[in-house]
Every structure is written in C-alpha cells, then in structure tokens.
Amino acid sequence: MKIAVFGGAFNPIHYGHLRLAREFASRLKLDKVMLIPSSTPPHKLHAHMAADRDRLEMCRLSVKGDPLFLVSDIEIKRAGVSFTADTLDKLTELYPTAQWYLITGADMFLTLGTWHRFEDIMLRAILCTAPRDDIEGAKLREYAAVLEKRGAKCIIEDIPKTDISSTKIRQLIRSGKDIDCLVPNSVKDYIYKNSLYKNAIDNTENSDAQFIEIIRGRLTPYRFRHSLAVAEQAKHLALLYGADPKKAYAAGILHDIMKDEPKAALLQMLSDFGIILNNAQMASPSCWHAIAGAEFVRNILKIGDDDIINAVRYHTTARAGMSPLEKTIFVADFTSLDRDYPDIDEMRRRAQLGSGPAMEYALSYTIRELLNKSAVILPDAIDAYNEIIALKQKESNNYAATKSSQK
Ligand SMILES: [Fe+2]
Ligand SMILES: [Fe+2]
C-alpha cells in the first residue's frame, strides 16, 4: 500500500491543498493520502489560528465520502510541537507494510535537511513536493540532489499551481467576501456556522467582540461561558472597586485564555516566551495558564495595557499591591454567575461589601484547600493574604485608638 502523509496547519483546508493531494495521488499511484492537521505550535500561536478541533473537523468535512483520503488526529492528540519524525514512527508502527510518501510545500521542502531527526524521516518516507514556478523548480531540484546524496529519495512534480491560500481565505472572510470555489461547501458552511476567522484581531483596533471570537476558538464551550460570566461580573464589580469597567470586561474575557491548553503546550509556550518558572511555580500547574495567558495577551494580542496583563497574570494567585482592576478580576473569577461551590453565597455577599472582605475570604478558602491537599502555596498568595490581614489590623488599631481618645 502506498500512502502519502500530507501535514499542515490547514487553517482552513482549501481546494489548493486537495488538488495538490489528488494530483500526487494520480501521478504516484497512491492508494491513500493521509491529511494530518498539526497541533498549533506555541511559537506559531496567533490570533487567527482556528482551534485544533475546528481545523481537524474541516479536514474531515472536506474529504468526506472520498475513499482516497484518511484524516488523522495523531498530531493534534499528541499536542505540543509536532515533529514529523515522531508522526512517521507512529504511522509505520500502525501500517508496517506501507510505502510512505511525505508531501510538503515547496518552502518547507527547502528546509527538510534541518528537520528534527531528518535521517529517520528520509529512511521512512519518499519526499515529495511541487514548485510554484520554474525558478523554484530549479532550486528544489538542486536541493533534492543534496538530500539524495545523504540517502533521501525525492520526487519533484510539476503540478500546475493554484493561487488559493489560507491567508487569502481568512482575509476574504474578514472583509465579508465570498469564499465559494475556494473551499468545499461543507467547509464553508462549517466556517460560517462557527463564525471562524470573522473577527480575527488585527492588532490595531481591539474590541470585546474580537476578544470573544478569539476565546471562542481556544476554549471549550464550558470555559467559554465561564469567561463571559466573569467578564459580566467584572464589569459590575469594577464600579464598586474603582476600576475601569471597560478594561474589567476585556480582562474578564481574556483571563482564562490559556486554560484549555495541554500542560506540555503551556510549558513549551512559557519557555518560548523566555519565562523561567521557579520551583514553587513548577510544582503548581494551576498557575501556568495565568502566566502563559498574560504573555499571550502581551505578545500575541499585542495588548500594551499593563493593568490588563497583570489582571490576567495574577487572577489565580493574587499578589500584594494589587490594582483595583486586578482585585476585580480575582473576585469576579470567584463570584461569576456560573460558579457553584459550598461557600458561594457568602463569597458573593462579601464581594458586594468590597474587595478587601472578598479577597480575604477567597484567599483563606484557597489557602485552606491547598493545605488540605498538601499542595504548594505560592508566595504571591501568602503575600496577598498577609497584606489584607495587616491592613485590617491597622484599621482596627486605628479605630480602637480613636475610640479611646474620645473617652
Ligand atoms: Fe483561571
Ligand atoms: Fe476563571
């Protein structure tokens, strides 16, 4: 059996991809072409990348009923950075007698020699690509000769190019234009039904609607609803705590933006952003999404407002010296409408009294829970708790002093 692996972001998959795959299949007499959408590598995270599950579903829809194609979730399931060598290891294990081909875009082909475990890749698969023009064709053949000297087998096919690209499709959707003829109808319907790519952020004009679209693509439906509920509650509490309700709403939407990322992907992302976790943070995975979320907001969404960034950063641990906005998000996350835990009524009552009583209650609750579980308590949480208690003591001493001076 001759099977070609055709991997990519497929963001979204389009007729250009499908034509290329079909053309290779007929020229090389392939039995199957396996589409493998990649999981989003952290260094390639960007606001207009559709969620892994959406890209996978669009691949499935695009080839539904066509016996030539298989669609594999192998890379999406593995999460984190996808290495082709690992994928080929797994596939040769699953189909030990198959002859494998690897289809790559021309620009990817020209870097193949530097790929992780290239020697294993070339042993497992015949490397295939198609030039976009004659000049590129010459370049590809020259490079293929270099790879062949290392033992690789390469096939360069002159397949007429299409000028369809995923970037162009996303742009058309954003500007409300038609994408008929560029993607199969089933993919088009899926894109519109799920509002994909419509409001992708353009970094110049941020708005809540854009943020909502971004989290919709990154979060599970449960977490998505939670984030909207926190945003609503934050808008309400901001007025009580002296924060800007607009910023509170935006920070509420974004606070859990990284919450549904697998742990391995979060660690990779933090290291890509140059963040080194200390031992306590390393032992406290529940804080990773907040640290990574703050970096995503700053570096990917290009939000320059430090107050919003810090509200995301400290929404799980709190810290000493929090701004009104940071306190707002911390308390909103505990008291949003979707929350349900034994002390919720008391917590909501205190939230109405002010950020101090609410923070004290929330921090004591969290610290007690962590102690019961023998889990790490991060210094930021203890600093925040101590600050509140010290302030309370100071206020009650002042009150006592005023009382006694009045006697
Ligand atoms: Fe969170
Ligand atoms: Fe949350």
Side-chain angles (χ1 to χ4, degrees):
M1 184 132 100
K2 294 159 94 174
I3 314 178
V5 166
F6 186 13
F10 299 124
N11 186 39
I13 191 158
H14 52 68
Y15 278 133
H17 296 126
L18 296 172
R19 268 180 219 149
L20 184 74
R22 287 201 175 97
E23 197 60 37
F24 266 117
S26 85
R27 293 180 186 210
L28 307 180
K29 313 234 172 325
L30 301 173
D31 297 292
K32 295 280 177 199
V33 175
M34 186 180 282
L35 300 175
I36 309 187
S38 54
S39 79
T40 315
H43 63 278
K44 281 187 96 180
L45 275 176
H46 55 77
H48 46 256
M49 179 64 90
D52 288 354
R53 60 174 178 276
D54 289 325
R55 291 182 291 109
L56 177 66
E57 189 53 27
M58 289 189 280
C59 283
R60 284 188 176 138
L61 289 169
S62 71
V63 296
K64 204 171 170 191
D66 185 335
L68 173 65
F69 288 97
L70 300 166
V71 178
S72 168
D73 59 3
I74 183 170
E75 294 199 351
I76 280 177
K77 270 204 176 142
R78 196 189 306 135
V81 183
S82 298
F83 289 118
T84 302
D86 297 339
T87 303
L88 285 171
D89 284 349
K90 189 86 202 140
L91 291 174
T92 42
E93 218 178 281
L94 291 172
Y95 304 84
T97 57
Q99 167 62 62
W100 291 94
Y101 294 75
L102 178 68
I103 301 175
T104 66
D107 40 0
M108 295 302 273
F109 185 89
L110 291 168
T111 65
L112 265 172
T114 65
W115 285 19
H116 174 64
R117 291 175 46 215
F118 169 70
E119 312 295 327
D120 292 327
I121 297 175
M122 73 175 199
L123 286 176
R124 296 220 189 277
I126 297 172
L127 313 171
C128 311
T129 194
R132 283 166 295 194
D133 54 46
D134 291 347
I135 301 170
E136 195 172 57
K139 231 160 100 183
L140 288 174
R141 286 189 174 84
E142 211 176 286
Y143 190 69
V146 174
L147 296 182
E148 276 165 355
K149 273 202 191 119
R150 287 171 69 177
K153 273 192 203 156
C154 302
I155 297 176
I156 317 284
E157 284 288 330
D158 291 309
I159 294 173
K161 75 171 195 99
T162 58
D163 59 355
I164 308 175
S165 77
S166 298
T167 312
K168 192 166 141 192
I169 292 171
R170 293 195 304 268
Q171 279 164 357
L172 289 171
I173 296 167
R174 261 203 305 281
S175 48
K177 297 202 178 105
D178 209 4
I179 54 164
D180 281 343
C181 313
L182 303 179
V183 298
N185 279 338
S186 52
V187 172
K188 187 184 85 177
D189 292 346
Y190 186 90
I191 289 173
Y192 288 137
K193 199 172 135 226
N194 294 283
S195 308
L196 301 184
Y197 310 120
K198 222 169 97 193
N199 287 310
I201 197 160
D202 59 13
N203 294 331
T204 52
E205 198 188 303
N206 299 341
S207 75
D208 294 338
Q210 289 176 321
F211 295 150
I212 289 171
E213 285 317 310
I214 290 164
I215 62 159
R216 193 201 300 276
R218 308 201 75 89
L219 299 177
T220 59
Y222 165 80
R223 187 77 48 200
F224 176 66
R225 278 195 300 278
H226 163 70
S227 301
L228 294 186
V230 170
E232 281 302 328
Q233 176 71 343
K235 196 163 68 178
H236 163 72
L237 292 179
L239 295 168
L240 295 175
Y241 300 171
D244 176 343
K246 253 189 85 55
K247 280 191 194 181
Y249 191 77
I253 294 170
L254 297 170
H255 82 286
D256 268 343
I257 190 162
M258 286 295 127
K259 181 79 179 181
D260 289 329
E261 293 295 320
K263 297 253 178 309
L266 284 177
L267 285 179
Q268 180 67 50
M269 190 189 311
L270 288 169
S271 113
D272 287 351
F273 284 133
I275 306 278
I276 298 165
L277 298 180
N278 60 37
N279 289 343
Q281 289 168 330
M282 205 59 203
S284 180
S286 59
C287 76
W288 298 352
H289 77 282
I291 305 176
E295 292 307 316
F296 185 89
V297 165
R298 187 204 318 270
N299 296 295
I300 309 293
L301 300 186
K302 308 280 184 216
I303 294 175
D305 188 314
D306 285 337
D307 210 9
I308 293 180
I309 295 168
N310 287 330
V312 175
R313 169 66 182 80
Y314 295 103
H315 83 268
T316 51
T317 54
R319 64 165 173 169
M322 287 171 100
S323 71
L325 183 71
E326 291 173 49
K327 291 176 185 170
T328 299
I329 298 303
F330 183 82
V331 178
D333 197 19
F334 265 88
T335 54
S336 55
L337 262 185
D338 62 309
R339 288 290 197 201
D340 191 14
Y341 51 91
D343 288 3
I344 183 74
D345 291 338
E346 178 58 16
M347 185 63 211
R348 287 202 178 116
R349 190 184 71 78
R350 289 183 177 232
Q352 291 301 116
L353 296 177
S355 62
M359 298 274 305
E360 182 190 344
Y361 199 77
L363 284 163
S364 323
Y365 182 90
T366 312
I367 290 172
R368 253 197 315 273
E369 292 273 295
L370 292 168
L371 279 173
N372 287 341
K373 287 194 285 187
S374 295
V376 164
I377 302 169
L378 288 171
D380 277 331
I382 297 171
D383 290 345
Y385 177 80
N386 287 345
E387 184 185 60
I388 292 162
I389 301 300
L391 186 69
K392 222 170 98 173
Q393 278 174 5
K394 200 171 145 197
E395 280 168 1
S396 85
N397 289 345
N398 285 346
Y399 179 74
T402 317
K403 272 275 183 203
S404 70
S405 72
Q406 283 169 354
K407 276 182 187 165

